[in-house]
Amino acid sequence: MKLTLILVFLFLGLQQKIPWNSPKEADNIQNPLKSDPVNIKAGNDLYTKYCLMCHGAKGKGDGPAGVSLVPHPGNLLSSRIAQSTDGSLYWKIKQGKAPMPAYVITDTQRWSLVNYIRELQKVNGISK
Ligand code: HEC
């Protein structure tokens, strides 16, 4: 019984530390959507509806449904994510990873979410 608990905690602990990496090919997917006020606004609306509950208003992973999640949603403003490619972010949004859902939305909507995450990074002084 004790051993089971130890193993469970070890497993959860490990899960939290392993970064989620996209496959190399994802880096080559080009963002077809230039960042402009219209699609940033569209991204903002989608983010509020589908992502904010876990990722939080500023992307810091402090949404009401996100704070106690394992693995934790992480911080979309981290330098690791700022440095990752648009293609990698798009791939992760499309793919999902439990407990993050793979939402059935259009590709354009996914790219406007990518552009919105970039905007969040920009307004918070984080750049590539
Ligand atoms: C149910 C909670 C939940 C919702 C809703 C959710 N996410 Fe996530 N998200 C997570 C968790 C948990 C992770 C971390 C997964 C991991 O690292 O194993 C994550 C990871 C990510 C990552 C990758 C971060 C990294 O560390 O590489 C991105 C990008 C992301 N989410 C974007 C979104 C977007 C955009 C939406 C809305 C369309 C969304 N998420 C909705 C829980 C959620």
Side-chain angles (χ1 to χ4, degrees), residues 18-20 46-47 50-51 53-55 65 69 71-74 76 80-81 89 92-93 97-101 103 105 113 117:
I18 300 169
W20 178 14
L46 289 162
Y47 183 89
Y50 295 120
C51 325
M53 67 197 98
C54 290
H55 287 279
L69 277 183
H72 187 263
L76 297 177
R80 184 175 62 82
I81 302 201
L89 292 181
K92 288 176 182 176
I93 294 168
K97 180 173 181 286
M100 174 170 153
Y103 286 113
I105 52 177
L113 281 162
I117 293 171

Side-chain angles (χ1 to χ4, degrees), residues 29-33 39-40 42-44 46-47 50-51 85-96 100-118:
I29 312 171
Q30 296 301 312
N31 185 344
L33 205 63
N39 65 57
I40 288 174
N44 189 348
L46 289 162
Y47 183 89
Y50 295 120
C51 325
T85 57
D86 284 2
S88 165
L89 292 181
Y90 162 85
W91 184 90
K92 288 176 182 176
I93 294 168
K94 185 168 180 174
Q95 213 66 26
M100 174 170 153
Y103 286 113
V104 183
I105 52 177
T106 66
D107 270 347
T108 307
Q109 288 176 314
R110 293 186 185 109
W111 288 115
S112 60
L113 281 162
V114 170
N115 288 353
Y116 181 66
I117 293 171
R118 295 297 184 214

